[in-house]
Each structure stands twice: as C-alpha cells, then as structure tokens.
Amino acid sequence: MGEGREDYCRIKSESIQKVVANGESYEDNPVLFETSVNFFTFFKYKLLFNNQNSVLETKNNIAISKDLAIKYFGTALPVGEIITLTIGVTKSDYIITGVFEKPLMNTQLSFDMVTYEKESESFCSNDSGQLVFCASFIRGRCRTRRAG
C-alpha cells in the first residue's frame, strides 16, 4: 500500500503595517496570507461570491474577511474596490476579488486577507526583516495495489 500526493497549498503569513482603503488609513495590523492560487479550493472557507476558482487569478487580486470589508468599506461586498497594503517598506495596490467568512470554530489558521503568491524557490522569504510563518499543506489519498 502506498500513498500519493493529490494536491498541495503553500501559505506564507505577512504582517501588514498599514492599510489604505476607501480613502482612510488603518494601522490595525491585519494578517495577510500569500498563498498558492488554489487556497479557496484546498481549504473550504466560505466566499460570499461563489468564485473560489477565480478569486486569486493574478498577483494583484485579494480576498478579505467580511469583518474587514465592513470595517474598511461599510459593506460586506466591496468587490472591485482598491486596497493598498504596506508590508515593511513595500506598498502595493490590490483589487478586492472576494470576501470570505471566517470560520466560527477554532482553527490553527488565523488570517484576515489572502492573496496569490507565485511559487518559487524564494516563496518563504520576505524583504521586511520580520519573521514569517510559512507552510505547505498536502492532501493525499491512499492508493492500494492488488497482489497477483
């Protein structure tokens, strides 16, 4: 009996120093997950738009929690709005392409925003000089062979 890898998802956590949304500036330090493109199909977080296959199509796409959507934009559905994040000395603009609901039960993954990060050798490095959480999650399935 052997096991085979079926799917995987990589996650790197970043701490955001500043958020600019809807003309307002916030320094509430939300947690950003930079992930594989399949994050919302690998993990079953509920998106308010059923677009888990396309929500992270490009590097400037971002999904934010419903709580942050209401806090920053006054609505649970700010899809299409621009949000600017400062991580270390780098400032980047993102287009909100999804809003997710945080799970009600306990989870080891605690985050407020998700964006796509192209996978490479340097996936788990950062320029901010801060410690980062980086992990790979693998979903496998058991394969069996019949003798004979």
Side-chain angles (χ1 to χ4, degrees):
M1 179 166 74
E3 288 190 38
R5 188 186 87 203
E6 185 176 294
D7 200 5
Y8 71 96
C9 182
R10 296 174 86 182
I11 297 173
K12 176 173 70 171
S13 177
E14 293 277 5
S15 181
I16 301 169
Q17 285 76 45
K18 184 177 178 183
V19 176
V20 177
N22 206 24
E24 298 289 327
S25 182
Y26 301 87
E27 294 183 5
D28 52 351
N29 296 50
V31 175
L32 171 70
F33 273 6
E34 295 176 331
T35 72
S36 303
V37 71
N38 66 334
F39 179 84
F40 286 103
T41 56
F42 191 89
F43 297 102
K44 302 302 180 194
Y45 292 97
K46 181 182 177 191
L47 287 164
L48 298 186
F49 289 109
N50 193 20
N51 62 337
Q52 63 268 21
N53 291 321
S54 62
V55 67
L56 301 176
E57 282 184 323
T58 67
K59 185 158 175 54
N60 71 331
N61 291 160
I62 193 167
I64 66 174
S65 70
K66 181 179 175 183
D67 295 340
L68 285 186
I70 293 169
K71 178 180 182 177
Y72 295 160
F73 297 96
T75 177
L77 300 173
V79 172
E81 297 286 343
I82 303 294
I83 191 168
T84 304
L85 307 180
T86 301
I87 302 170
V89 296
T90 305
K91 187 190 298 186
S92 302
D93 291 333
Y94 295 91
I95 300 169
I96 298 173
T97 53
V99 176
F100 61 89
E101 289 192 21
K102 288 185 154 191
L104 297 177
M105 49 174 127
N106 291 338
T107 176
Q108 291 183 344
L109 301 177
S110 179
F111 59 97
D112 304 291
M113 302 175 174
V114 181
T115 190
Y116 167 66
E117 174 71 23
K118 183 177 179 184
E119 296 182 25
S120 68
E121 295 276 331
S122 62
F123 182 84
C124 287
S125 66
N126 73 353
D127 298 327
S128 68
Q130 298 177 352
L131 292 174
V132 291
F133 164 81
C134 188
S136 294
F137 295 85
I138 299 171
R139 181 184 306 136
R141 72 174 168 216
C142 183
R143 296 184 184 160
T144 59
R145 291 187 181 174
R146 290 189 174 164

